[in-house]
Amino acid sequence: MFTGEISNPAHMGLSAREMEIIELVADGLTNQEIAEKLTISKRTVDNHVSNMFTKTGSKNRVALLNWAMDHGKICRDGFNCCSLPDSSGDNV
């Protein structure tokens, strides 16, 4: 759960599909590759990305990923991640 201040309530209004697409953008996929992976059209992915830019105030993919990391939506290589208990109950 995000605990910082929300400067714009729309920031928290990302859909599950938009969050799925952010994760794929973070993996380095292009919109075409995302479309193929999700079996949707590239134009649909383009629309989702554009909507996410608007909702987050981001102007490009790098800014979108920075927003997602800052708001705890994605984790990259152990950076900016919360510790979740593993199967043995110990924190990672």
Side-chain angles (χ1 to χ4, degrees):
M1 176 182 224
F2 173 65
T3 57
E5 289 184 14
I6 300 171
S7 60
N8 180 349
H11 286 179
M12 299 310 286
L14 298 180
S15 70
R17 179 61 103 182
E18 289 169 337
M19 291 307 307
E20 186 176 14
I21 290 171
I22 284 178
E23 291 175 9
L24 295 172
V25 169
D27 287 340
L29 275 64
T30 65
N31 286 6
Q32 182 62 47
E33 292 167 332
I34 292 168
E36 291 167 6
K37 184 171 183 84
L38 299 179
T39 61
I40 59 178
S41 74
K42 179 186 175 291
R43 183 167 181 160
T44 299
V45 176
D46 294 342
N47 287 336
H48 280 303
V49 171
S50 178
N51 290 340
M52 289 186 288
F53 286 167
T54 300
K55 288 179 180 182
T56 64
S58 302
K59 295 184 188 247
N60 57 50
R61 293 164 82 89
V62 172
L64 178 63
L65 294 179
N66 284 335
W67 177 90
M69 284 187 1
D70 289 347
H71 290 83
K73 303 295 185 188
I74 60 170
C75 172
R76 294 297 292 162
D77 301 326
F79 175 74
N80 202 25
C81 298
C82 61
S83 296
L84 299 174
D86 64 15
S87 60
S88 67
D90 297 331
N91 283 345
V92 177

